[in-house]
Amino acid sequence: MAVSHLQCKECKAQYPLEAVYVCETCFGPLEVVYDHSRTSGDVGELRRRIQGGPQNIWRYADFLPLAGGPPGPSGRLASRVGLPAGCTPLIRADRLAERLGLREVWVKNDAANPTHSFKDRVVSVAVTRARELGFETIACASTGNLANSVAAHGAALGLDSYVFIPSNLEEQKILATGVYGAKVVAVEGNYDDVNRLCTELCAERDWAFVNINLRPYYAEGSKTLAFEIAEQLGWELPDRCVVPVASGSLFTKIARGFEEWRELGLLEGELPSMNGAQAQGCSPVASAFADGQDVCRPVKPDTIAKSLAIGNPADGPYALDLARRTGGGVDAVTDDEIRAGIKLLAETTGVFTETAGGVTTAVLAKLAARGDIDPDERVVLVITGEGLKTLDAVRGTFETHTIAPTVDAFEAGVPQTVSV
Ligand SMILES: *Cc1c(COP(=O)(O)O)cnc(C)c1O
Ligand SMILES: [Zn+2]
């Protein structure tokens, strides 16, 4: 088992591997520390062991914070886990690249997870750790996708689940949560109100709030996106990643995943330039980046990208530091640009993403138009969620041709491409 202890990101105080998340001394966030002295060794052998693992995130068990260690040959660990997340497609997107004047663009389609967003990665890890720690109830403060995933994992593992969401969430996301039998609590307020309430409840109840008291473990799940991208590129790093930013956890942990594998010799070369993507209606990190600030000023969210609507991002300062030290950035796009981003991705790749993916695609288009991307770069666009969950974003953006069932009506009513 490579996991060693928890450590404060600020003052480096050490804590045991329990359900704790904030430093008692300086109130900094806690993070998992590993001891890879037994993991390291022959790179070829390490790669072969990963490649021989299960077709889900547990192939990276050596780099995840579980007491159980790597999975056995019979998939023993897999049976502890319930819903397999990860191993989603990395698609070469030549038509998108051409539209943007770039050479090599890849789409990492994390909508292809059990509950159709990247949240299944973080929830799998948090819930598995919660079971190791003996919790019987799981819970979360969610902007939507986390609710879907916690409810589904609760159902798969027979744990009680309570999900707290802002009451104005998209109907699709509420329905796709309640169906699993979770207790759905719609809070009259925005995500930051939901999070505050859950932090209070967390102090009073013996529940595993996946993104509060289990947050150090939860966050580690996002590293698996980096591992997969590198493995799917043939053990190579991309030159640039464009990633959506809500709390900033996904953004910073993708980079951490690349770094960890570089330290072990599994990857070589420089860390990719990391570009964060936010909606203008909730862009505390992009604003701080533009203003040259080290910390974010909290905002009240107002955007169609509800899954990214966190006005007070916990990992904001770390996201800013990462963007600056990798030569990346953090940009914001308007709701109209988000809708156009969804359409651009759908029409050039066949991937239909939710509003968060519209944000990411629109930021990529903006970077390309601004000339920030060298045409020879290998760029990975991280698509984190499914278009069917935010259908309102595309309503009215195209025409349906309704006709009587006759050839005449078809010829009169439907414009046709003229073939020569
Ligand atoms: C939660 C979420 C994110 C990013 O979350 P972080 O809090 O920044 O880790 C990105 N995309 C989608 C679709 C999400 O649901
Ligand atoms: Zn501390």
Side-chain angles (χ1 to χ4, degrees):
M1 151 183 126
V3 60
S4 170
H5 57 271
L6 297 180
Q7 188 176 69
C8 173
K9 269 182 103 154
E10 294 298 324
C11 76
K12 311 294 174 202
Q14 295 194 3
Y15 292 85
L17 292 160
E18 288 165 7
V20 289
Y21 64 105
V22 67
C23 178
E24 286 167 11
T25 319
C26 78
F27 302 106
L30 305 187
E31 192 172 46
V32 178
V33 176
Y34 298 83
D35 171 10
H36 281 311
S37 55
R38 283 192 301 146
T39 314
S40 38
D42 183 59
V43 166
E45 193 194 309
L46 205 47
R47 285 181 179 167
R48 275 192 298 281
R49 189 155 91 228
I50 292 166
Q51 284 168 327
Q55 290 291 324
N56 55 55
I57 61 165
W58 302 112
R59 68 203 279 105
Y60 309 116
D62 282 344
F63 312 93
L64 294 172
L66 304 170
S74 62
R76 179 178 51 81
L77 188 63
S79 68
R80 290 187 0 220
V81 169
L83 278 183
C87 286
T88 60
L90 181 73
I91 306 156
R92 174 110 188 209
D94 285 339
R95 297 190 60 237
L96 176 61
E98 195 181 322
R99 279 276 277 275
L100 300 176
L102 303 173
R103 188 177 59 86
E104 190 175 342
V105 176
W106 296 81
V107 170
K108 180 62 174 167
N109 184 14
D110 241 27
N113 268 305
T115 71
H116 316 290
S117 86
F118 98 91
K119 290 295 196 303
D120 290 320
R121 298 175 183 274
V122 284
V123 171
S124 282
V125 174
V127 168
T128 304
R129 184 69 191 136
R131 287 234 304 198
E132 287 184 348
L133 292 169
F135 286 100
E136 281 160 13
T137 302
I138 55 174
C140 67
S142 175
T143 56
N145 286 313
L146 187 56
N148 294 170
S149 185
V150 165
H153 279 81
L157 297 172
L159 299 167
D160 272 344
S161 57
Y162 288 79
V163 303
F164 297 79
I165 52 172
S167 58
N168 74 345
L169 212 57
E170 298 96 343
E171 192 187 12
Q172 290 95 355
K173 284 190 182 149
I174 299 177
L175 294 173
T177 302
V179 71
Y180 297 113
K183 275 141 205 113
V184 182
V185 186
V187 178
E188 293 164 340
N190 59 33
Y191 172 80
D192 301 282
D193 298 315
V194 175
N195 191 45
R196 207 172 318 116
L197 168 65
C198 287
T199 305
E200 279 179 50
L201 288 171
C202 184
E204 288 181 357
R205 260 148 247 252
D206 197 17
W207 292 356
F209 277 86
V210 298
N211 57 337
I212 301 180
N213 54 339
L214 274 286
R215 190 172 181 85
Y217 310 101
Y218 162 98
E220 291 293 289
S222 288
K223 291 188 312 190
T224 62
L225 251 169
F227 299 154
E228 275 178 36
I229 291 168
E231 204 187 332
Q232 287 168 317
L233 289 175
W235 306 99
E236 283 185 12
L237 285 162
D239 299 310
R240 185 180 299 273
C241 292
V242 188
V243 180
V245 173
S247 71
S249 176
L250 170 67
F251 183 63
T252 50
K253 286 294 180 174
I254 286 180
R256 184 63 212 139
F258 289 138
E259 274 173 345
E260 207 171 313
W261 272 19
R262 239 180 22 162
E263 285 160 17
L264 284 168
L266 281 165
L267 295 174
E268 283 171 11
E270 289 199 18
L271 206 57
S273 298
M274 296 294 296
N275 284 92
Q278 294 207 296
Q280 207 145 81
C282 182
S283 50
V285 189
S287 303
F289 186 86
D291 296 343
Q293 304 290 317
D294 294 335
V295 292
C296 303
R297 178 153 358 111
V299 301
K300 250 202 167 66
D302 180 15
T303 169
I304 59 167
K306 293 181 196 289
S307 55
L308 302 182
I310 296 186
N312 188 10
D315 291 302
Y318 306 113
L320 288 165
D321 174 61
L322 175 66
R324 290 192 176 115
R325 81 185 147 84
T326 59
V330 186
D331 279 273
V333 289
T334 65
D335 284 359
D336 280 343
E337 289 173 309
I338 296 168
R339 292 188 190 93
I342 294 173
K343 289 276 280 180
L344 174 64
L345 187 72
E347 291 176 0
T348 57
T349 68
V351 173
F352 178 26
T353 183
E354 69 150 77
T355 44
V359 170
T360 321
T361 308
V363 165
L364 173 68
K366 184 174 242 180
L367 295 172
R370 217 161 55 196
D372 283 7
I373 303 179
D374 185 308
D376 282 340
E377 283 181 29
R378 175 191 273 176
V379 183
V380 173
L381 182 65
V382 177
I383 294 301
T384 47
E386 163 65 51
L388 293 173
K389 290 195 202 181
T390 61
L391 286 171
D392 280 344
V394 294
R395 210 181 296 283
T397 60
F398 58 91
E399 197 186 339
T400 307
H401 309 283
T402 305
I403 58 163
T406 66
V407 171
D408 282 352
F410 172 70
E411 284 179 348
V414 183
Q416 283 160 68
T417 313
V418 185
S419 50
V420 188

